[in-house]
Amino acid sequence: MHEEDSVETGVSRRKLLGAAGLAALTAGGVAAYSTADRDDPTEAASAQPDPLALPVAFEGEHQAGIVTPAQDRMYFVALDVTTDDRDELIGLLKDWTDAARRMTQGNDVGELGAVGGPPLSPPEDTGEALGLPPSNLTLTIGFGRSLFVNTDGKTRFGLDGQLPDRLIEMPSFSGDRLRPEISDGDIAIQACANDPQVAVHAVRNLVRIAFGRASVKYSQMGFGRTSSTSTAQVTPRNLLGFKDGTANIKAEETSTVDEFVWVADGDGPDWLVGGSYLVARKIDMRIETWDRESLEGQEVIIGRAKGSGGPLSGGDEFDEIDFSAQNEDGEPAIAEKSHVRLAHPDFNDGAQILRRGYNFVDGSNGLGQLSAGLFFIAYQRDPESQFVRIQRSLAGSTNDLLNEYIVHIGSGLWACPPGVGPDGYWGDTLFA
Amino acid sequence: MKRTLVGVGIAAAALTTLSACADDPAESGDLTVKASDSSCEVSATELEAGPQTFKVTNNGSKVTEFYVYAEGDRIMGEVENIGPGLSRDLVVDLAKGTYEGACKPGMIGDGIRQTITVTGEAAKPLSDSEELKAAAASYERYVESQTAALIEKTEEFVDAVKAGKVDEAKKLFPIARTYWERIEPVAEIFGDLDPITDGREPDAIAEGVDFTGWHRIEKQLWVENNTEGMDKYADQLLDNVKEVVKLSKEQPLTALQLAQGSKGLLDEVATGKITGEEDEFSHTDLWDFKANIEGSQAAIAALRPVLEKQDPDLVKQLDTEFAALDKELNQYQDPTTGDWKFYDELSKDQIKKLSDAVAALSEPISKVASVVAASA
């Protein structure tokens, strides 16, 4: 009877519209959006609805949006908390959770939503997602080091002893050209969806809820997921034209996920168990010079064939890379300084990360060049031994050959708390 | 920081000022207010309910003002522009309650304040519709006080422009505009007058009309550093200002327009002042900024009894956010001269903090109209 309840109260406007479009679901009503259906592509397909339009469960042991199959669009926002009051911050996290719970399930923000409120009052929900399906929307929150301590090293919000040792200050890497105004931030929220309007709607409404308590530092739109996080997904291409994330951690590899993604007991403060660390790097690509590089040159730099994605040591995309293989000139088939070699676990003490990045194009730079690149996102259990370890291998003009064509201009690291329960809120384990 | 009053009942706030006129003969039993540059002495602070006449004498060297505020700085009455050595009378009808009398030497800041306690008859409770009317009447008094000063200061500005006194005109420009910006929602309801008085150059070009008004003269003063050819614009500006004032008296705002105006003023800040677009030649945007906030606050103060009754939590939130914005903004004013920092002297970080504070206030302000409408 959920559906009828929704009609009477006007609460579930978008779910109602969504359900009307998904006639095949009437038997189960809203319950047909259950996790079980979504996890089984065959069953979902037989029930007709587009799996890319369905909701993703908001609650769970871990936050959604990490091992969730990567959606096609992203809107990422970093905010600074402007209040000094712990209770106000908790209130904000509760309000956000309430809105996130609603939006991820395809509902308007607020009891009265976009069009149910009094005529002279601004609507609770901004309305641009009316009639759009949930589109796999996930909202994932992370807390930056600056939420715990201010620049003088003083504890904020009474969070004494809660700053995880692993939430390090990101070291500088050779070649970095980081811009402070698009780096760090007290709180990060990653919104991913298969419809950009759904992702933008989510961030816009969360930002609106935050006025007076938190303020946007920067935000970034991304398109065309550059990594697959599930074996069910094909490997997408980044703006260099190469398949990206072939060797990424996949959701189905649960022991690898446990080893490299989720924070475990004993890793640090208890509040973060079941969470993960998010690294974001805005990487500008010198697209025009890259495009002038020969095909052979591009393939040597990456270490893979551009068409198939197969390693230059031979074989197809998912075949093992043979780093000892030599070409006919007796040179290593996978160049010593190729991207794929330097980034590979074999050369990084076995370190792996779950990548979840997106392409971006921020228009042009005024010289007729695209302001484009990769908004790199990686999740891991320990940034120092994972992202930092790998990036040390890559960074610098004498390392990764690709560095001639890319430059890191933004950076951030956040600790993402575990998932929330039915009555929980984002960060409840931290503020308990 | 605005001061708050203790123990003021809602009902205490609803009576009207009788008049505020310099020519009223002072009767025996009148209160005297001795204002100087550093003090404000009211002859008695324990009063009986009923009409009171405050005879305000300015013994200081700066132009001063005298206000009687109810809770939340709701203006019960005020006299502006009392020059050194001059006296003016303020007649105000006060019901039982606690008020504050404030002198504002230099016409800036929160003023030098004294608590005034009124005993005796409480104001009679008003119906919802009476309350809305009282709110509109209270705001009308505010508009009245501002329009009087607006005409005086615009005349001074226009005289300086026509006399070719560039430096003096530059000094008067942001001050005269203060009175304009405080009551901008009033000007905006007279559709044609706002663009020719306060229009911007790109819009005039786009519409193929002559660029006139405040900003035309501003451009000449700051870009050309002279007043050549400005006589006709100066005359026209004064005519238009007088016309706005005349129309505003014929067509006072309703309580709902008032609520919408309080939001409109903040929207002005968010789109025009925070970006430094409005005063692009003089960079005197912070004068306008402050005036918009004061105007918005005056509208909210007039509506306060209505809001207190319908949504006391909203009033608390508004008080907090107004105070936070004031704190953020006032650090850019020179407390002695009253001058503000120029917009182009502010850092990006400072502008961001101001913008955050405006956004924080704008959200609760956007809910006021609905509360007022529900009360009608």
Side-chain angles (χ1 to χ4, degrees), chain A residues 221-253:
Chain A
M221 293 212 57
F223 66 94
R225 63 185 168 85
T226 61
S227 299
S228 46
T229 53
S230 163
T231 51
Q233 293 183 298
V234 296
T235 314
R237 290 177 189 274
N238 59 30
L239 291 181
L240 300 174
F242 277 77
K243 289 191 177 183
D244 197 340
T246 297
N248 201 14
I249 296 174
K250 306 290 197 297
E252 292 81 356
E253 302 157 3

PDB file of all heavy atoms in Angstrom, chain A residues 221-253:
ATOM      1  N   MET A 221      31.965  18.739 -11.987  1.00  0.00           N
ATOM      2  CA  MET A 221      31.110  17.820 -12.722  1.00  0.00           C
ATOM      3  C   MET A 221      31.991  16.863 -13.514  1.00  0.00           C
ATOM      4  O   MET A 221      33.028  17.254 -14.041  1.00  0.00           O
ATOM      5  CB  MET A 221      30.230  18.589 -13.693  1.00  0.00           C
ATOM      6  CG  MET A 221      29.224  19.451 -12.979  1.00  0.00           C
ATOM      7  SD  MET A 221      27.713  19.602 -13.930  1.00  0.00           S
ATOM      8  CE  MET A 221      27.247  17.891 -14.111  1.00  0.00           C
ATOM      9  N   GLY A 222      31.545  15.624 -13.590  1.00  0.00           N
ATOM     10  CA  GLY A 222      32.281  14.637 -14.370  1.00  0.00           C
ATOM     11  C   GLY A 222      31.327  13.817 -15.206  1.00  0.00           C
ATOM     12  O   GLY A 222      30.157  13.676 -14.869  1.00  0.00           O
ATOM     13  N   PHE A 223      31.840  13.308 -16.295  1.00  0.00           N
ATOM     14  CA  PHE A 223      31.009  12.475 -17.170  1.00  0.00           C
ATOM     15  C   PHE A 223      31.835  11.294 -17.650  1.00  0.00           C
ATOM     16  O   PHE A 223      33.070  11.323 -17.615  1.00  0.00           O
ATOM     17  CB  PHE A 223      30.509  13.285 -18.370  1.00  0.00           C
ATOM     18  CG  PHE A 223      31.611  13.713 -19.299  1.00  0.00           C
ATOM     19  CD1 PHE A 223      31.956  12.953 -20.409  1.00  0.00           C
ATOM     20  CD2 PHE A 223      32.326  14.872 -19.039  1.00  0.00           C
ATOM     21  CE1 PHE A 223      32.992  13.344 -21.252  1.00  0.00           C
ATOM     22  CE2 PHE A 223      33.369  15.268 -19.879  1.00  0.00           C
ATOM     23  CZ  PHE A 223      33.701  14.512 -20.986  1.00  0.00           C
ATOM     24  N   GLY A 224      31.136  10.275 -18.119  1.00  0.00           N
ATOM     25  CA  GLY A 224      31.837   9.139 -18.702  1.00  0.00           C
ATOM     26  C   GLY A 224      32.754   8.500 -17.701  1.00  0.00           C
ATOM     27  O   GLY A 224      33.955   8.740 -17.709  1.00  0.00           O
ATOM     28  N   ARG A 225      32.189   7.689 -16.817  1.00  0.00           N
ATOM     29  CA  ARG A 225      33.004   7.007 -15.805  1.00  0.00           C
ATOM     30  C   ARG A 225      34.273   6.494 -16.481  1.00  0.00           C
ATOM     31  O   ARG A 225      34.240   5.973 -17.593  1.00  0.00           O
ATOM     32  CB  ARG A 225      32.226   5.843 -15.186  1.00  0.00           C
ATOM     33  CG  ARG A 225      31.872   4.747 -16.172  1.00  0.00           C
ATOM     34  CD  ARG A 225      30.989   3.663 -15.565  1.00  0.00           C
ATOM     35  NE  ARG A 225      30.461   2.804 -16.622  1.00  0.00           N
ATOM     36  CZ  ARG A 225      31.115   1.772 -17.126  1.00  0.00           C
ATOM     37  NH1 ARG A 225      32.305   1.461 -16.670  1.00  0.00           N
ATOM     38  NH2 ARG A 225      30.578   1.054 -18.102  1.00  0.00           N
ATOM     39  N   THR A 226      35.406   6.633 -15.834  1.00  0.00           N
ATOM     40  CA  THR A 226      36.659   6.204 -16.449  1.00  0.00           C
ATOM     41  C   THR A 226      37.139   4.905 -15.836  1.00  0.00           C
ATOM     42  O   THR A 226      38.237   4.467 -16.116  1.00  0.00           O
ATOM     43  CB  THR A 226      37.750   7.270 -16.264  1.00  0.00           C
ATOM     44  OG1 THR A 226      37.952   7.430 -14.866  1.00  0.00           O
ATOM     45  CG2 THR A 226      37.355   8.582 -16.872  1.00  0.00           C
ATOM     46  N   SER A 227      36.333   4.310 -14.964  1.00  0.00           N
ATOM     47  CA  SER A 227      36.715   3.033 -14.376  1.00  0.00           C
ATOM     48  C   SER A 227      35.486   2.155 -14.286  1.00  0.00           C
ATOM     49  O   SER A 227      34.386   2.653 -14.081  1.00  0.00           O
ATOM     50  CB  SER A 227      37.256   3.220 -12.956  1.00  0.00           C
ATOM     51  OG  SER A 227      38.396   4.025 -12.955  1.00  0.00           O
ATOM     52  N   SER A 228      35.689   0.863 -14.438  1.00  0.00           N
ATOM     53  CA  SER A 228      34.590  -0.036 -14.123  1.00  0.00           C
ATOM     54  C   SER A 228      34.873  -0.598 -12.752  1.00  0.00           C
ATOM     55  O   SER A 228      36.017  -0.892 -12.404  1.00  0.00           O
ATOM     56  CB  SER A 228      34.477  -1.146 -15.162  1.00  0.00           C
ATOM     57  OG  SER A 228      35.743  -1.688 -15.435  1.00  0.00           O
ATOM     58  N   THR A 229      33.813  -0.700 -11.940  1.00  0.00           N
ATOM     59  CA  THR A 229      33.984  -1.230 -10.589  1.00  0.00           C
ATOM     60  C   THR A 229      33.203  -2.522 -10.432  1.00  0.00           C
ATOM     61  O   THR A 229      32.965  -2.972  -9.336  1.00  0.00           O
ATOM     62  CB  THR A 229      33.500  -0.204  -9.549  1.00  0.00           C
ATOM     63  OG1 THR A 229      32.167   0.175  -9.885  1.00  0.00           O
ATOM     64  CG2 THR A 229      34.382   1.016  -9.540  1.00  0.00           C
ATOM     65  N   SER A 230      32.776  -3.082 -11.556  1.00  0.00           N
ATOM     66  CA  SER A 230      32.066  -4.349 -11.509  1.00  0.00           C
ATOM     67  C   SER A 230      32.449  -5.146 -12.747  1.00  0.00           C
ATOM     68  O   SER A 230      32.692  -4.580 -13.819  1.00  0.00           O
ATOM     69  CB  SER A 230      30.550  -4.096 -11.502  1.00  0.00           C
ATOM     70  OG  SER A 230      29.869  -5.290 -11.842  1.00  0.00           O
ATOM     71  N   THR A 231      32.518  -6.476 -12.591  1.00  0.00           N
ATOM     72  CA  THR A 231      32.857  -7.309 -13.739  1.00  0.00           C
ATOM     73  C   THR A 231      31.759  -7.260 -14.788  1.00  0.00           C
ATOM     74  O   THR A 231      31.978  -7.633 -15.932  1.00  0.00           O
ATOM     75  CB  THR A 231      33.080  -8.767 -13.297  1.00  0.00           C
ATOM     76  OG1 THR A 231      31.958  -9.165 -12.506  1.00  0.00           O
ATOM     77  CG2 THR A 231      34.357  -8.901 -12.475  1.00  0.00           C
ATOM     78  N   ALA A 232      30.560  -6.786 -14.376  1.00  0.00           N
ATOM     79  CA  ALA A 232      29.451  -6.708 -15.336  1.00  0.00           C
ATOM     80  C   ALA A 232      29.597  -5.508 -16.270  1.00  0.00           C
ATOM     81  O   ALA A 232      28.867  -5.380 -17.240  1.00  0.00           O
ATOM     82  CB  ALA A 232      28.126  -6.626 -14.585  1.00  0.00           C
ATOM     83  N   GLN A 233      30.529  -4.609 -15.955  1.00  0.00           N
ATOM     84  CA  GLN A 233      30.669  -3.401 -16.764  1.00  0.00           C
ATOM     85  C   GLN A 233      31.829  -3.532 -17.752  1.00  0.00           C
ATOM     86  O   GLN A 233      32.856  -4.124 -17.423  1.00  0.00           O
ATOM     87  CB  GLN A 233      30.944  -2.193 -15.851  1.00  0.00           C
ATOM     88  CG  GLN A 233      29.784  -1.835 -14.952  1.00  0.00           C
ATOM     89  CD  GLN A 233      30.083  -0.593 -14.128  1.00  0.00           C
ATOM     90  OE1 GLN A 233      31.016  -0.576 -13.325  1.00  0.00           O
ATOM     91  NE2 GLN A 233      29.304   0.453 -14.328  1.00  0.00           N
ATOM     92  N   VAL A 234      31.662  -2.959 -18.936  1.00  0.00           N
ATOM     93  CA  VAL A 234      32.788  -2.935 -19.862  1.00  0.00           C
ATOM     94  C   VAL A 234      33.731  -1.818 -19.427  1.00  0.00           C
ATOM     95  O   VAL A 234      33.329  -0.879 -18.746  1.00  0.00           O
ATOM     96  CB  VAL A 234      32.346  -2.678 -21.324  1.00  0.00           C
ATOM     97  CG1 VAL A 234      31.471  -3.818 -21.815  1.00  0.00           C
ATOM     98  CG2 VAL A 234      31.645  -1.348 -21.467  1.00  0.00           C
ATOM     99  N   THR A 235      34.987  -1.947 -19.821  1.00  0.00           N
ATOM    100  CA  THR A 235      35.968  -0.943 -19.423  1.00  0.00           C
ATOM    101  C   THR A 235      35.795   0.301 -20.287  1.00  0.00           C
ATOM    102  O   THR A 235      35.835   0.211 -21.512  1.00  0.00           O
ATOM    103  CB  THR A 235      37.395  -1.488 -19.592  1.00  0.00           C
ATOM    104  OG1 THR A 235      37.436  -2.798 -19.033  1.00  0.00           O
ATOM    105  CG2 THR A 235      38.406  -0.601 -18.910  1.00  0.00           C
ATOM    106  N   PRO A 236      35.573   1.425 -19.666  1.00  0.00           N
ATOM    107  CA  PRO A 236      35.376   2.652 -20.439  1.00  0.00           C
ATOM    108  C   PRO A 236      36.716   3.277 -20.838  1.00  0.00           C
ATOM    109  O   PRO A 236      37.771   2.792 -20.449  1.00  0.00           O
ATOM    110  CB  PRO A 236      34.654   3.546 -19.449  1.00  0.00           C
ATOM    111  CG  PRO A 236      35.185   3.107 -18.112  1.00  0.00           C
ATOM    112  CD  PRO A 236      35.497   1.649 -18.218  1.00  0.00           C
ATOM    113  N   ARG A 237      36.642   4.356 -21.601  1.00  0.00           N
ATOM    114  CA  ARG A 237      37.859   5.042 -22.032  1.00  0.00           C
ATOM    115  C   ARG A 237      37.940   6.426 -21.391  1.00  0.00           C
ATOM    116  O   ARG A 237      36.934   7.086 -21.185  1.00  0.00           O
ATOM    117  CB  ARG A 237      37.868   5.185 -23.562  1.00  0.00           C
ATOM    118  CG  ARG A 237      38.075   3.864 -24.272  1.00  0.00           C
ATOM    119  CD  ARG A 237      38.005   3.991 -25.789  1.00  0.00           C
ATOM    120  NE  ARG A 237      38.004   2.659 -26.404  1.00  0.00           N
ATOM    121  CZ  ARG A 237      39.115   1.973 -26.686  1.00  0.00           C
ATOM    122  NH1 ARG A 237      40.307   2.490 -26.451  1.00  0.00           N
ATOM    123  NH2 ARG A 237      39.030   0.767 -27.219  1.00  0.00           N
ATOM    124  N   ASN A 238      39.156   6.832 -21.105  1.00  0.00           N
ATOM    125  CA  ASN A 238      39.341   8.189 -20.609  1.00  0.00           C
ATOM    126  C   ASN A 238      39.574   9.129 -21.806  1.00  0.00           C
ATOM    127  O   ASN A 238      39.502   8.711 -22.958  1.00  0.00           O
ATOM    128  CB  ASN A 238      40.498   8.243 -19.608  1.00  0.00           C
ATOM    129  CG  ASN A 238      41.799   7.778 -20.233  1.00  0.00           C
ATOM    130  OD1 ASN A 238      42.018   7.943 -21.433  1.00  0.00           O
ATOM    131  ND2 ASN A 238      42.667   7.182 -19.425  1.00  0.00           N
ATOM    132  N   LEU A 239      39.861  10.389 -21.516  1.00  0.00           N
ATOM    133  CA  LEU A 239      39.974  11.353 -22.611  1.00  0.00           C
ATOM    134  C   LEU A 239      41.274  11.191 -23.405  1.00  0.00           C
ATOM    135  O   LEU A 239      41.448  11.811 -24.448  1.00  0.00           O
ATOM    136  CB  LEU A 239      39.848  12.798 -22.090  1.00  0.00           C
ATOM    137  CG  LEU A 239      38.447  13.177 -21.576  1.00  0.00           C
ATOM    138  CD1 LEU A 239      38.424  14.628 -21.106  1.00  0.00           C
ATOM    139  CD2 LEU A 239      37.369  12.951 -22.628  1.00  0.00           C
ATOM    140  N   LEU A 240      42.188  10.346 -22.926  1.00  0.00           N
ATOM    141  CA  LEU A 240      43.363  10.025 -23.732  1.00  0.00           C
ATOM    142  C   LEU A 240      42.992   9.021 -24.814  1.00  0.00           C
ATOM    143  O   LEU A 240      43.798   8.727 -25.688  1.00  0.00           O
ATOM    144  CB  LEU A 240      44.484   9.457 -22.857  1.00  0.00           C
ATOM    145  CG  LEU A 240      44.988  10.380 -21.729  1.00  0.00           C
ATOM    146  CD1 LEU A 240      45.984   9.644 -20.844  1.00  0.00           C
ATOM    147  CD2 LEU A 240      45.626  11.636 -22.318  1.00  0.00           C
ATOM    148  N   GLY A 241      41.789   8.498 -24.730  1.00  0.00           N
ATOM    149  CA  GLY A 241      41.311   7.539 -25.721  1.00  0.00           C
ATOM    150  C   GLY A 241      41.617   6.105 -25.363  1.00  0.00           C
ATOM    151  O   GLY A 241      41.347   5.187 -26.133  1.00  0.00           O
ATOM    152  N   PHE A 242      42.201   5.896 -24.167  1.00  0.00           N
ATOM    153  CA  PHE A 242      42.569   4.547 -23.741  1.00  0.00           C
ATOM    154  C   PHE A 242      41.550   3.976 -22.764  1.00  0.00           C
ATOM    155  O   PHE A 242      40.928   4.724 -21.995  1.00  0.00           O
ATOM    156  CB  PHE A 242      43.954   4.557 -23.083  1.00  0.00           C
ATOM    157  CG  PHE A 242      45.078   4.510 -24.070  1.00  0.00           C
ATOM    158  CD1 PHE A 242      45.436   5.652 -24.777  1.00  0.00           C
ATOM    159  CD2 PHE A 242      45.759   3.317 -24.314  1.00  0.00           C
ATOM    160  CE1 PHE A 242      46.462   5.619 -25.702  1.00  0.00           C
ATOM    161  CE2 PHE A 242      46.796   3.278 -25.243  1.00  0.00           C
ATOM    162  CZ  PHE A 242      47.141   4.430 -25.955  1.00  0.00           C
ATOM    163  N   LYS A 243      41.433   2.644 -22.786  1.00  0.00           N
ATOM    164  CA  LYS A 243      40.641   1.976 -21.762  1.00  0.00           C
ATOM    165  C   LYS A 243      41.314   2.216 -20.425  1.00  0.00           C
ATOM    166  O   LYS A 243      42.534   2.126 -20.314  1.00  0.00           O
ATOM    167  CB  LYS A 243      40.544   0.482 -22.041  1.00  0.00           C
ATOM    168  CG  LYS A 243      39.674   0.161 -23.239  1.00  0.00           C
ATOM    169  CD  LYS A 243      39.382  -1.326 -23.324  1.00  0.00           C
ATOM    170  CE  LYS A 243      38.437  -1.596 -24.500  1.00  0.00           C
ATOM    171  NZ  LYS A 243      38.074  -3.030 -24.573  1.00  0.00           N
ATOM    172  N   ASP A 244      40.508   2.514 -19.415  1.00  0.00           N
ATOM    173  CA  ASP A 244      41.065   2.896 -18.121  1.00  0.00           C
ATOM    174  C   ASP A 244      40.447   2.014 -17.041  1.00  0.00           C
ATOM    175  O   ASP A 244      39.250   1.802 -17.033  1.00  0.00           O
ATOM    176  CB  ASP A 244      40.753   4.377 -17.850  1.00  0.00           C
ATOM    177  CG  ASP A 244      41.626   4.964 -16.758  1.00  0.00           C
ATOM    178  OD1 ASP A 244      42.181   4.192 -15.963  1.00  0.00           O
ATOM    179  OD2 ASP A 244      41.747   6.198 -16.709  1.00  0.00           O
ATOM    180  N   GLY A 245      41.276   1.514 -16.174  1.00  0.00           N
ATOM    181  CA  GLY A 245      40.748   0.746 -15.049  1.00  0.00           C
ATOM    182  C   GLY A 245      40.565  -0.721 -15.332  1.00  0.00           C
ATOM    183  O   GLY A 245      39.817  -1.402 -14.634  1.00  0.00           O
ATOM    184  N   THR A 246      41.255  -1.240 -16.327  1.00  0.00           N
ATOM    185  CA  THR A 246      41.161  -2.669 -16.643  1.00  0.00           C
ATOM    186  C   THR A 246      41.486  -3.513 -15.399  1.00  0.00           C
ATOM    187  O   THR A 246      40.782  -4.456 -15.078  1.00  0.00           O
ATOM    188  CB  THR A 246      42.148  -3.015 -17.779  1.00  0.00           C
ATOM    189  OG1 THR A 246      41.762  -2.288 -18.937  1.00  0.00           O
ATOM    190  CG2 THR A 246      42.140  -4.505 -18.076  1.00  0.00           C
ATOM    191  N   ALA A 247      42.540  -3.130 -14.716  1.00  0.00           N
ATOM    192  CA  ALA A 247      42.989  -3.927 -13.573  1.00  0.00           C
ATOM    193  C   ALA A 247      42.430  -3.389 -12.257  1.00  0.00           C
ATOM    194  O   ALA A 247      42.950  -3.681 -11.183  1.00  0.00           O
ATOM    195  CB  ALA A 247      44.518  -3.927 -13.521  1.00  0.00           C
ATOM    196  N   ASN A 248      41.348  -2.597 -12.321  1.00  0.00           N
ATOM    197  CA  ASN A 248      40.776  -2.003 -11.107  1.00  0.00           C
ATOM    198  C   ASN A 248      40.201  -3.086 -10.198  1.00  0.00           C
ATOM    199  O   ASN A 248      39.855  -4.175 -10.652  1.00  0.00           O
ATOM    200  CB  ASN A 248      39.661  -1.035 -11.521  1.00  0.00           C
ATOM    201  CG  ASN A 248      39.350  -0.019 -10.444  1.00  0.00           C
ATOM    202  OD1 ASN A 248      40.105   0.150  -9.493  1.00  0.00           O
ATOM    203  ND2 ASN A 248      38.227   0.653 -10.588  1.00  0.00           N
ATOM    204  N   ILE A 249      40.063  -2.758  -8.924  1.00  0.00           N
ATOM    205  CA  ILE A 249      39.380  -3.655  -7.989  1.00  0.00           C
ATOM    206  C   ILE A 249      37.896  -3.688  -8.369  1.00  0.00           C
ATOM    207  O   ILE A 249      37.291  -2.646  -8.614  1.00  0.00           O
ATOM    208  CB  ILE A 249      39.526  -3.149  -6.535  1.00  0.00           C
ATOM    209  CG1 ILE A 249      40.992  -3.166  -6.119  1.00  0.00           C
ATOM    210  CG2 ILE A 249      38.664  -3.972  -5.591  1.00  0.00           C
ATOM    211  CD1 ILE A 249      41.250  -2.545  -4.750  1.00  0.00           C
ATOM    212  N   LYS A 250      37.320  -4.855  -8.433  1.00  0.00           N
ATOM    213  CA  LYS A 250      35.911  -4.988  -8.788  1.00  0.00           C
ATOM    214  C   LYS A 250      35.105  -5.419  -7.561  1.00  0.00           C
ATOM    215  O   LYS A 250      35.591  -6.170  -6.714  1.00  0.00           O
ATOM    216  CB  LYS A 250      35.733  -6.034  -9.898  1.00  0.00           C
ATOM    217  CG  LYS A 250      36.586  -5.788 -11.150  1.00  0.00           C
ATOM    218  CD  LYS A 250      36.104  -4.579 -11.946  1.00  0.00           C
ATOM    219  CE  LYS A 250      36.634  -4.552 -13.369  1.00  0.00           C
ATOM    220  NZ  LYS A 250      38.102  -4.435 -13.460  1.00  0.00           N
ATOM    221  N   ALA A 251      33.867  -4.947  -7.504  1.00  0.00           N
ATOM    222  CA  ALA A 251      33.007  -5.226  -6.354  1.00  0.00           C
ATOM    223  C   ALA A 251      32.901  -6.716  -6.060  1.00  0.00           C
ATOM    224  O   ALA A 251      32.796  -7.137  -4.900  1.00  0.00           O
ATOM    225  CB  ALA A 251      31.614  -4.654  -6.612  1.00  0.00           C
ATOM    226  N   GLU A 252      32.935  -7.506  -7.117  1.00  0.00           N
ATOM    227  CA  GLU A 252      32.736  -8.950  -6.948  1.00  0.00           C
ATOM    228  C   GLU A 252      33.917  -9.624  -6.261  1.00  0.00           C
ATOM    229  O   GLU A 252      33.787 -10.722  -5.715  1.00  0.00           O
ATOM    230  CB  GLU A 252      32.496  -9.602  -8.324  1.00  0.00           C
ATOM    231  CG  GLU A 252      31.169  -9.205  -8.989  1.00  0.00           C
ATOM    232  CD  GLU A 252      31.215  -7.845  -9.691  1.00  0.00           C
ATOM    233  OE1 GLU A 252      32.250  -7.142  -9.610  1.00  0.00           O
ATOM    234  OE2 GLU A 252      30.196  -7.467 -10.299  1.00  0.00           O
ATOM    235  N   GLU A 253      35.081  -8.971  -6.302  1.00  0.00           N
ATOM    236  CA  GLU A 253      36.272  -9.574  -5.681  1.00  0.00           C
ATOM    237  C   GLU A 253      36.276  -9.233  -4.196  1.00  0.00           C
ATOM    238  O   GLU A 253      37.076  -8.425  -3.721  1.00  0.00           O
ATOM    239  CB  GLU A 253      37.530  -9.016  -6.361  1.00  0.00           C
ATOM    240  CG  GLU A 253      37.565  -9.276  -7.860  1.00  0.00           C
ATOM    241  CD  GLU A 253      38.454  -8.293  -8.633  1.00  0.00           C
ATOM    242  OE1 GLU A 253      39.113  -7.427  -8.002  1.00  0.00           O
ATOM    243  OE2 GLU A 253      38.469  -8.385  -9.866  1.00  0.00           O
TER     244      GLU A 253
END
